[in-house]
Structure formats: structure tokens, C-alpha cells
Amino acid sequence: MQASEFIWMDGEFIPFADARVHVLSHSLHYGNAVFEGIRAYSTPEGPAVLQLGAHVKRMFRSCRVLDMALPFSQAEMEAAILELVRRNGHKSCYIRPLVFRGAGPLGVLPKGNPIQVCVATWEWDSLHGDGGVDAGVDVGFSSWRRMAPGTHPSMAKASGNYLNSQLVVQEAVRHGYAEGLVLDVDGYLSEGSGENVFLVEDGEILTPPIGNSILAGITRGMVMEIAAELGIPVREARIPREAVFFCEEIFMTGTAAEITPVRSVDGRPLEKSAPGPVTKRLQEVFFARVKGEAPDKGGWLTHVSAPNA
Ligand code: PPE
């Protein structure tokens, strides 16, 4: 990971090497941090942050779930993110805001720990590489289940949820897969360790609803918007495990993974090679839009510097 020049921490732009925390930081012990993953894409008008408002809003909602009051407003966080991308001089980058409880008294009940906020940026390729986006990846069902409703708050992007994700992806990679597909506690398809999942069946797009222990992905939302524009029906449905073995296409979405097709599950190749026509069409529209090569119909991009500035 290439160090950027600055990290924004608690309201200030500080050198990368100075962004430190104490080992007794509460969140390090109890997993109660909240984070976001955002991308800035290179466009003809310079870098533009994709869905800035939606990501910051989700971060504030995650904090509400964890009962953490941020010492900054949404507008202040958005401004800090834009300024950081500008100061770090990225053409494109990944952006990682993190809210955590800092050093103070330990004990599970958070009491007297300062709520700290930082934002870091770095240049990051697609999670499964350009090869993954172009040709698809091999995935396998995880032996782990997603968090059951009423246990961990899957709708909050809380660090503690990523203990489950790490068990999933470590096992998947150990078995030679790029990613694990995870079932929810009832045995229905949930998501990947860091991606939402979609199936294409009889020309219709299917994806698990929020009730299947997923993170309500922002890329998921954009894909659903594009599909609606293209007249491709999308349905949120409880999906049984076996559907992946006869559907026409599978793809995964996420800020890091973008739109990554799946070419095999559990060592069983899909009937047709990835990406299938629906996945391909969605990718074309998505990438053209986020890279500023097609009109920004949904108002998804926030340019880091005002055009012509
Ligand atoms: N589910 C999970 C569990 C998840 O972590 C992500 C994002 C998504 C779905 C897709 O959400 P969205 O990015 O809003 O479309 N995972 C982030 C972290 C990945 C990482 O490797 O770190 C991301 O993609 O930034």
C-alpha cells in the first residue's frame, strides 16, 4: 500500500506517519468502530468521488446503530474527504473513513472514550483485479453463516461485522477461491465477504433483500438503478443455495469489487462464460458513468475541484 501524503484525523490534515492511536483504544479491543469504503474515479474533469453523500449518510447511520455521536457534521465529513483527495493529489483512489472510540477506560461498556474520526486514501485496484472484472472469479460457499438477525447489526458497516467476513474470505482463499458466498442463518443466499450478490435467471435480476443479513450496498443500489433504466427487471428475493447452479449469470458488487462477474461456484463452472450479457451491459453503463464518460444521470459524482477551477 502506497502511503499518501496526508491523513485527515479529528479535524486536521496530518502526515501519514503521524496518524497513530494508543494500544488501549477502545475499538481495538471491542470491534465497535464504523467505517466506509468510497472510491474516487478519474474523469475528464479530474477526480470525482462516487456517491459521496450516500456513503457519508450510511456512516452516520452506522454510528446511530452503535450509539456513537460523531463530533462532525455530514457536511464537514464530505468537505474533509474532498479536500483530502485533493491534497493527496490522487487521480483516482479508495477512501476509508473510520470512526472509533479512542483510548480511555477499558471495559465493554464504552464510557469516557473519545470518539475519533479519520479518513485515509490510497490508490487501490479493483478488489479482484482487472482480470476479475473482465473474466470473472471463482467462488465457493462458505462453511460460515452470516450473522443472524438480532445478533450483529449487518446493516451497520461496523468493524466487528468483519470478523465474520474475514473468516469467510480466509477460508475461501485457502480453498483456492477468490471469494466466499455466505448463506444467512436460515440457509438463504446473503452476500460475499465484502460484496453483494446478484443472479440473472430467465432474463431477470435477483438479489437478496436486506432481511437476509446483507449490507445495503451502495453499488447494489446503483446497479438496480441502471437495470431499471435499461428495462431489465430486478427482484429482491430470498434465494436458495441451489439457484446458483442453474442461473445464467452471477455477479458481485461493491465499492472495492466494483462489478465482478462470477465464473464458477464450488468448482462448478456456470453454463456460459463470464461475464454474461446482462453483467456486461451493467458493467459498461456503470464504468462509463463513474468515469465521467457518460452523463451523470443519477448525480452520483462529486468532483474534487469544481470543473474549470
Ligand atoms: N457487503 C459487505 C459485507 C461489504 O463489506 C460491502 C463493501 C458490500 C456489501 C458492498 O457495499 P458497497 O461498497 O456500498 O457497494 N465492502 C467494502 C470493504 C471491502 C474491503 O475489502 O475492505 C468496500 O467494498 O469498500
Side-chain angles (χ1 to χ4, degrees), residues 35-38 55 58 94-96 122 124 127 146 154 157 162 165 191-196 214-222 253-258:
F35 68 98
E36 268 304 322
I38 314 173
H55 281 282
R58 185 171 67 185
Y94 185 81
I95 303 162
R96 171 56 58 81
W122 64 89
W124 206 16
L127 186 62
R146 205 70 186 137
S154 71
K157 204 167 168 61
Y162 287 81
S165 288
E191 58 181 349
S193 77
E195 309 92 346
N196 292 112
I214 67 165
L215 179 74
I218 289 163
T219 321
R220 175 181 180 272
M222 288 186 279
T253 65
T255 300
E258 304 179 296

Side-chain angles (χ1 to χ4, degrees), residues 184-195:
D184 73 4
V185 72
D186 294 318
Y188 291 95
L189 188 59
S190 178
E191 58 181 349
S193 77
E195 309 92 346

Side-chain angles (χ1 to χ4, degrees), residues 221-232:
M222 288 186 279
V223 160
M224 289 164 93
E225 245 180 272
I226 295 171
E229 276 175 37
L230 298 175
I232 308 169

Side-chain angles (χ1 to χ4, degrees), residues 1-4 6-7 16 35-40 84-85 88 90 92-97 119-125 256:
M1 188 172 139
Q2 178 82 35
S4 61
F6 297 106
I7 284 183
F16 186 93
F35 68 98
E36 268 304 322
I38 314 173
R39 267 189 199 277
L84 183 69
V85 175
N88 280 337
H90 298 293
S92 63
C93 63
Y94 185 81
I95 303 162
R96 171 56 58 81
V119 185
T121 61
W122 64 89
E123 281 160 35
W124 206 16
D125 290 342

Side-chain angles (χ1 to χ4, degrees), residues 153-177:
S154 71
M155 285 192 76
K157 204 167 168 61
S159 297
N161 290 346
Y162 287 81
L163 173 56
N164 176 268
S165 288
Q166 280 172 69
L167 292 167
V168 167
V169 71
Q170 283 176 317
E171 179 191 57
V173 169
R174 203 179 301 123
H175 292 173
Y177 301 125

Side-chain angles (χ1 to χ4, degrees), residues 27 34 100 107 130 169 194 264 276 288:
S27 293
V34 156
F100 61 100
D130 287 346
V169 71
S264 76

Side-chain angles (χ1 to χ4, degrees), residues 141 146 154-155 181-185 187-192 195-201 204-217 220-221 223-224 234-241 243-244 249-253:
F141 275 105
R146 205 70 186 137
S154 71
M155 285 192 76
L181 289 182
V182 202
L183 301 175
D184 73 4
V185 72
Y188 291 95
L189 188 59
S190 178
E191 58 181 349
E195 309 92 346
N196 292 112
V197 182
F198 290 79
L199 270 57
V200 181
E201 196 184 300
E204 185 186 35
I205 299 175
L206 300 173
T207 196
I210 51 172
N212 289 124
S213 300
I214 67 165
L215 179 74
R220 175 181 180 272
V223 160
M224 289 164 93
V234 186
R235 193 156 53 90
E236 293 182 72
R238 275 178 124 187
I239 302 171
R241 175 174 179 155
V244 304
E249 302 176 32
I250 305 174
F251 60 92
M252 304 186 295
T253 65

